């Protein structure tokens, strides 16, 4: 069984999750669910990034210890992910013992291989990014380009990582493996950073300035820089630093999903750190844009955050998941608007998906005694359905849930158009009606499987309503997509609308 290790970035716990975070988590979840459908053994990791100055300051503002603060806010992420039906196999917290152990093992390895030294550092630091900036990278007034807040001067003795030693090795790696960073424009951006010259960077903080972190194993006066600590989480969750050695079978065939703001850390620092530790660099980085609100990135400081729970209350968890996936392709930035979300919900979910189920169940109740008939083995819909399946599978294979869903909705349109053409609600009970309804049920069954990575809850309801056992998420692609899988002779239940129309 092919292995598929998928990660989200670990989320900072200085704040509660907004829909930008949910965008990353839902996309990752949909990909994980898709890979389970195609028979991969999936290990899907998410979690929280709990150290560093930003988190320590948030705790201070809330009059609690960093540990108390991270316990509270990390739980907000895990609860929200549960609510959004995120099917992660593990949830890592960087304050866990297993992680401290992995970071220590990793750093000792790098030090023993000669890539860590002591030096003096003075630089402009943005606490929001937890990163140093060069003068030229800041906006007028020393403002961070992302957070629009002034960077602070930090000066101290630190341990440094010899990033400069990896410039050639990184260029060679990406020249030989250009498919590692997708989309191509992000590979070019990473190559631009590397070609621009790599400077060594500090991987520790003196406890006098930041004490909330993993201690440097050989010097207890320092803690590990939060990004260095955070990146190692991808290995921790595989048991790195522990006896079992399981990590070696999953690494480096990892798939990191990440936002464009953290490309440099994942596409430059992280592979170099891996090389320094004698580990292969990660095999795949899928980079996505931001979900903007009114053209701006969501941030607590801008008071423009939208919370996933509020939208899930209104549109349902699957309504929210569908909108995030369908309307915001992985790659470019997307702009969230309530109007676009409502329009998409009404057209795709209420009028097409939900309506198809309602009309099929109504006709079957009236004309087929509530029992779903089998599809026509030589239906003329069969060929059309099969031609769309290839498009769906290919799109998901390219990590494009948006296009995969677009092609899946073509099947729904096909079924609705066929019902409109044959008007089964005007037909007498009998074999003719059975064939028409069997075909519609078969398309619903196939749609339930294909849409389940995006809308696991609604697809399960659909699956149950058409009388099938088990779950669409346990189906196997491609074998379960073969025309004729709906066995017929089973109870179809009419239920309240899956997606009631919004005004
Ligand atoms: N803690 C670091 C990641 C360390 S991974 C070893 C971090 N955390 S974050 O909470 O700020 O961001 C986590 C992810 O959420 C990133 O991929 C980021 O791009 C994504 N998003 C945060 N806001 C976002 C939007 N408004 N839109 C889309 N994704 C956004 O960075």
């Amino acid at each position: 069984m092919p292995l598929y290790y998928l990660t989200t970035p670990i989320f900072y716990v200085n704040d509660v999750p907004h829909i930008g975070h949910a965008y990353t988590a839902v996309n990752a979840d949909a990909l994980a669910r898709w890979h389970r459908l195609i028979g991969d053994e999936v290990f899907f990791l998410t979690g929280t990034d709990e150290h560093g100055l930003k988190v320590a300051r948030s705790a201070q503002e809330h009059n609690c210890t960093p540990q108390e603060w991270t316990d509270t806010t990390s739980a907000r992420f895990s609860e929200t992910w549960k609510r959004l039906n995120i099917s992660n196999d593990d949830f890592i917290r960087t304050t866990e013992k297993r992680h401290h152990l992995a970071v220590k093992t990793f750093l000792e390895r790098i030090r023993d291989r000669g890539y860590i030294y002591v030096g003096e550092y003075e630089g402009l630091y943005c606490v929001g990014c937890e990163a140093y900036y060069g003068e030229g990278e800041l906006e007028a007034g020393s403002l961070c380009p992302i957070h629009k807040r002034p960077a602070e001067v930090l000066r101290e003795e630190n341990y440094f990582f010899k990033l400069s030693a990896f410039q050639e090795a990184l260029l060679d790696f990406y020249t030989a493996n250009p498919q590692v960073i997708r989309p191509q424009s992000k590979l070019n951006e990473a190559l631009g950073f590397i070609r621009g010259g790599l400077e060594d960077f500090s991987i520790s903080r003196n406890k006098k300035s930041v004490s909330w972190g993993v201690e440097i194993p050989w010097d207890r006066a320092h803690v590990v820089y939060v990004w260095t600590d955070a990146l190692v989480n991808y290995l921790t969750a595989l048991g790195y630093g522990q006896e079992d050695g399981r990590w070696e079978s999953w690494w480096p065939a990892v798939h990191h999903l990440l936002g464009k703001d953290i490309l440099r850390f994942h596409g430059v620092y992280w592979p170099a750190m891996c090389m320094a530790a004698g580990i292969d660099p990660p095999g795949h980085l899928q980079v996505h844009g931001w979900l903007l609100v009114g053209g701006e990135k969501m941030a607590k400081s801008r008071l423009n955050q939208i919370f996933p729970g509020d939208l899930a209350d209104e549109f349902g968890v699957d309504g929210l998941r569908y909108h995030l996936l369908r309307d915001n392709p992985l790659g470019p930035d997307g702009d969230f608007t309530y109007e676009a979300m409502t329009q998409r919900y009404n057209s795709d979910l209420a009028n097409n998906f939900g309506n198809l189920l309602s009309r099929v169940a109504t006709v079957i109740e009236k004309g087929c005694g509530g029992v779903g008939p089998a599809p026509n083995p030589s239906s003329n819909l069969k060929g059309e359905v099969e031609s769309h399946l290839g498009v769906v599978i290919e799109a998901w294979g390219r990590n494009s849930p948006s296009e995969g869903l677009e092609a899946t909705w073509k099947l729904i349109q096909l079924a609705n158009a066929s019902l409109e053409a044959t008007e089964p609600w005007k037909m007498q009970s009998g074999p003719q009606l059975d064939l028409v309804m069997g075909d519609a049920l078969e398309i619903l069954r196939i749609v339930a499987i294909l849409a389940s990575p995006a809308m696991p809850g609604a697809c399960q309801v659909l699956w149950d309503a058409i009388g099938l056992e088990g779950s669409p998420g346990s189906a196997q692609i491609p074998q379960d997509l073969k025309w004729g899988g709906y066995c017929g002779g089973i109870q179809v239940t009419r239920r309240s609308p899956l997606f009631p129309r919004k005004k």
Side-chain angles (χ1 to χ4, degrees):
M1 210 190 252
L3 299 178
Y4 185 76
Y5 176 31
L6 175 68
T7 68
T8 70
I10 47 173
F11 299 93
Y12 282 131
V13 291
N14 61 313
D15 199 4
V16 295
H18 57 59
I19 57 166
H21 302 125
Y23 174 69
T24 305
V26 166
N27 268 289
D29 183 60
L31 290 172
R33 288 176 187 271
W34 178 262
H35 279 269
R36 293 189 191 108
L37 281 178
I38 61 169
D40 289 354
E41 186 179 344
V42 172
F43 182 55
F44 170 24
L45 175 70
T46 187
T48 43
D49 189 354
E50 307 191 0
H51 293 126
L53 200 49
K54 177 150 80 165
V55 171
R57 285 195 185 161
S58 284
Q60 224 169 21
E61 282 164 23
H62 291 84
N63 293 320
C64 55
T65 64
Q67 188 64 57
E68 285 163 351
W69 176 247
T70 56
D71 287 347
T72 310
T73 35
S74 174
R76 293 291 292 273
F77 276 90
S78 49
E79 284 156 11
T80 305
W81 292 172
K82 235 177 234 141
R83 167 106 204 263
L84 299 187
N85 227 338
I86 306 298
S87 62
N88 50 297
D89 298 296
D90 195 353
F91 186 97
I92 190 162
R93 299 186 53 190
T94 53
T95 46
E96 287 173 80
K97 220 186 197 157
R98 60 174 172 156
H99 182 62
H100 283 230
L101 193 66
V103 172
K104 286 180 177 168
T105 310
F106 188 83
L107 285 187
E108 272 167 353
R109 193 93 209 275
I110 296 184
R111 188 192 60 160
D112 294 349
R113 291 164 56 91
Y115 295 110
I116 289 181
Y117 64 93
V118 183
E120 175 81 20
Y121 197 82
E122 178 175 325
L124 288 159
Y125 193 79
C126 169
V127 177
C129 298
E130 294 281 15
Y132 282 106
Y133 276 94
E135 286 280 4
E137 294 172 307
L138 295 170
E139 294 180 357
S142 292
L143 296 189
C144 158
I146 295 175
H147 293 89
K148 313 285 177 201
R149 280 191 305 229
E152 302 173 22
V153 177
L154 277 193
R155 181 186 307 114
E156 58 182 37
E157 190 178 88
N158 286 166
Y159 289 96
F160 278 73
F161 171 60
K162 276 193 197 164
L163 180 65
S164 55
F166 294 93
Q167 181 151 352
E168 284 310 309
L170 286 170
L171 286 175
D172 291 348
F173 174 68
Y174 286 127
T175 306
N177 306 284
Q179 77 294 347
V180 167
I181 302 185
R182 278 178 256 161
Q184 161 98 31
S185 57
K186 297 296 166 193
L187 169 69
N188 296 341
E189 201 176 314
L191 287 172
F193 292 145
I194 301 168
R195 290 199 184 106
L198 296 181
E199 286 180 16
D200 297 348
F201 68 91
S202 129
I203 52 147
S204 71
R205 295 287 175 271
N206 194 304
K207 276 193 184 165
K208 286 184 207 139
S209 57
V210 187
S211 60
W212 178 237
V214 182
E215 272 175 5
I216 291 278
W218 58 87
D219 184 346
R220 301 193 58 197
H222 292 257
V223 293
V224 179
Y225 167 47
V226 60
W227 263 103
T228 308
D229 150 7
L231 287 161
V232 178
N233 92 87
Y234 301 131
L235 288 171
T236 307
L238 299 179
Y240 181 84
Q242 294 166 34
E243 294 292 289
D244 66 11
R246 180 172 64 106
W247 71 274
E248 279 170 288
S249 50
W250 289 89
W251 197 267
V254 59
H255 303 267
H256 292 314
L257 183 66
L258 53 128
K260 63 179 187 179
D261 47 326
I262 53 178
L263 171 62
R264 187 192 302 232
F265 294 99
H266 285 79
V268 182
Y269 295 9
W270 179 225
M273 285 160 60
C274 288
M275 288 173 180
I279 296 172
D280 284 335
H284 175 208
L285 272 58
Q286 183 72 43
V287 186
H288 64 74
W290 287 335
L291 192 58
L292 306 170
V293 175
E296 296 229 50
K297 189 167 186 258
M298 261 166 280
K300 196 177 180 182
S301 52
R302 292 194 193 110
L303 295 175
N304 64 351
Q305 292 167 304
I306 298 175
F307 300 105
D310 294 341
L311 292 176
D313 287 345
E314 181 155 4
F315 293 91
V317 166
D318 286 318
L320 169 60
R321 290 177 58 114
Y322 183 76
H323 171 66
L324 291 176
L325 294 166
R326 174 68 185 85
D327 284 323
N328 303 283
L330 281 180
D333 287 347
D335 210 0
F336 176 85
T337 69
Y338 189 83
E339 292 70 25
M341 181 168 184
T342 309
Q343 198 187 356
R344 178 64 75 185
Y345 173 95
N346 279 336
S347 69
D348 285 19
L349 302 185
N351 295 352
N352 275 298
F353 185 92
N355 191 33
L356 177 60
L357 175 60
S358 299
R359 44 194 355 189
V360 167
T362 305
V363 175
I364 289 176
E365 187 181 67
K366 289 200 184 123
C368 311
V371 177
N376 178 357
S378 48
S379 168
N380 53 13
L381 291 177
K382 180 172 176 258
E384 283 194 72
V385 168
E386 281 165 359
S387 70
H388 284 299
L389 293 181
V391 182
V392 177
I393 293 172
E394 189 272 334
W396 281 94
R398 274 190 288 114
N399 294 318
S400 180
S402 168
E403 288 170 279
L405 292 170
E406 186 181 6
T408 302
W409 256 248
K410 293 258 162 56
L411 298 177
I412 298 178
Q413 285 155 13
L414 193 66
N416 272 323
S418 145
L419 292 181
E420 270 143 35
T422 49
E423 299 190 310
W425 39 87
K426 293 187 183 162
M427 288 164 78
Q428 300 286 330
S429 299
Q432 199 52 38
L433 176 65
D434 287 354
L435 288 180
V436 171
M437 297 320 292
D439 286 358
L441 283 164
E442 177 62 344
I443 294 183
L444 278 173
R445 182 190 71 84
I446 291 172
V447 165
I449 296 173
L450 294 176
S452 66
M455 305 198 301
C459 291
Q460 182 69 54
V461 173
L462 161 57
W463 195 256
D464 296 341
I466 62 173
L468 294 168
E469 284 182 4
S471 130
S474 312
Q476 286 295 292
I477 289 178
Q479 54 271 38
D480 290 331
L481 296 178
K482 278 206 190 98
W483 185 263
Y486 189 76
C487 52
I490 47 178
Q491 193 71 38
V492 172
T493 316
R494 193 159 65 87
R495 41 153 297 128
S496 54
L498 256 182
F499 295 102
R501 229 188 120 74
K502 299 265 168 230
K503 295 262 161 15

